[in-house]
Amino acid sequence: MASVLVVEDDQFVRSALIRHLTEASHTVRSVGTALEALREVAHFRFDVVILDLGLPDLDGAEALKMLRSITDVPVIIATARDDEAEIVRLLNDGADDYLTKPFSVEHLSARMAAVLRRSRAAGAEPPPRVLRVGALAIDPLRRQAELDGKRLDLTRREFDLLAFLAGRPGVVVPRKELLAEVWQQSYGDDQTIDVHLSWLRRKLGETAARPRYLHTLRGVGVKLEPPGPQQ
Ligand code: CA
């Protein structure tokens, strides 16, 4: 089982890939642009990235270069272009392998297995990291969170919010940063954050008046930290 990021703007190809990979027991996240891909790899750990070269925002070579500037994750490029010179150039630029579209599931699986074998043999990938804050355990890879060993039923946004804060325990995160990082918006009203925070609070079994993990500092930001001994 591997954690896979699929970067593909074609809805049809993307859903097919997600379906096949999920059926093969892989954990899949997917995005349709290079910039979203960069954001994903900055926030989550993947075992392999499948990168379509024909993305709407950035040229494939450019996208690969930017990915490489922030992560060593194995990248398999998927290209409709049967252009040997370009493929060789991309392999030299840090791609680990490539697939020419259309490709079969078997072909994809074989390439993935080979890439994963190599990266695991190289010991490049650390074991999955679980973020722990007090009795909270957050697994960004599996997108699961537990409190006191009990699984929390979180929406996608609640999970993102919790995981982001858990990555910086005890640090007051300004609302602006939350909007930018969790909502991916450069502006917005505080209400959006407040509403999600209150839902998340309820699931953590606490209230704004009697916070345990989630602390709102009016006009400043939000922080997540383990409850004190008196709580
Ligand atoms: Ca494309």
Side-chain angles (χ1 to χ4, degrees):
M1 196 196 104
S3 159
V4 187
L5 175 64
V6 171
V7 188
E8 169 64 71
D9 62 318
D10 183 315
Q11 236 357 294
F12 180 76
V13 177
R14 188 160 143 187
S15 344
L17 275 175
I18 294 170
R19 195 174 59 246
H20 293 312
L21 290 167
T22 310
E23 276 167 8
S25 310
H26 298 303
T27 314
V28 187
R29 285 175 65 86
S30 71
V31 290
T33 64
L35 291 178
E36 288 172 297
L38 292 171
R39 205 185 285 275
E40 285 289 305
V41 298
H43 281 92
F44 302 101
R45 200 189 64 83
F46 296 98
D47 295 313
V48 61
V49 173
I50 299 172
L51 177 68
D52 170 37
L53 286 187
L55 293 169
D57 57 341
L58 281 182
D59 166 62
E62 201 59 38
L64 178 66
K65 208 175 293 167
M66 290 182 77
L67 272 178
R68 272 291 161 259
S69 70
I70 53 174
T71 173
D72 288 331
V73 66
V75 175
I76 300 178
I77 50 179
T79 171
R81 316 164 202 176
D82 190 11
D83 177 349
E84 198 173 347
E86 163 146 53
I87 290 168
V88 169
R89 189 164 59 85
L90 290 169
L91 290 172
N92 283 330
D93 277 352
D96 294 83
D97 209 338
Y98 73 97
L99 288 159
T100 309
K101 290 181 184 175
F103 49 82
S104 66
V105 185
E106 290 74 24
H107 203 155
L108 169 64
S109 301
R111 290 289 165 100
M112 266 184 58
V115 162
L116 289 172
R117 224 167 22 239
R118 281 207 298 274
S119 81
R120 280 173 184 159
E125 298 299 314
R129 199 166 58 110
V130 175
L131 303 167
R132 292 183 194 280
V133 179
L136 268 172
I138 293 123
D139 185 340
L141 203 59
R142 296 188 172 76
R143 297 190 61 80
Q144 287 174 5
E146 290 181 350
L147 177 59
D148 293 318
K150 280 196 211 94
R151 179 93 166 262
L152 294 168
D153 182 19
L154 303 178
T155 62
R156 180 189 150 149
R157 197 71 88 185
E158 288 161 3
F159 182 87
D160 289 345
L161 180 58
L162 184 63
F164 187 79
L165 291 170
R168 300 147 188 78
V171 174
V172 181
V173 181
R175 287 165 172 275
K176 224 175 140 178
E177 192 177 336
L178 280 181
L179 265 181
E181 297 296 333
V182 179
W183 276 266
Q184 280 141 38
Q185 290 174 8
S186 51
Y187 64 92
D189 61 279
D190 283 358
Q191 237 187 333
T192 312
I193 296 181
D194 287 335
V195 168
H196 283 86
L197 276 174
S198 87
W199 287 336
L200 184 55
R201 262 203 186 99
R202 198 175 310 159
K203 291 183 181 174
L204 296 179
E206 58 184 67
T207 60
R210 301 199 58 184
R212 292 180 69 229
Y213 285 91
L214 269 179
H215 301 263
T216 308
L217 287 93
R218 197 165 291 280
V220 184
V222 183
K223 72 173 167 177
L224 182 80
E225 64 182 8
Q230 76 282 6
Q231 290 170 298

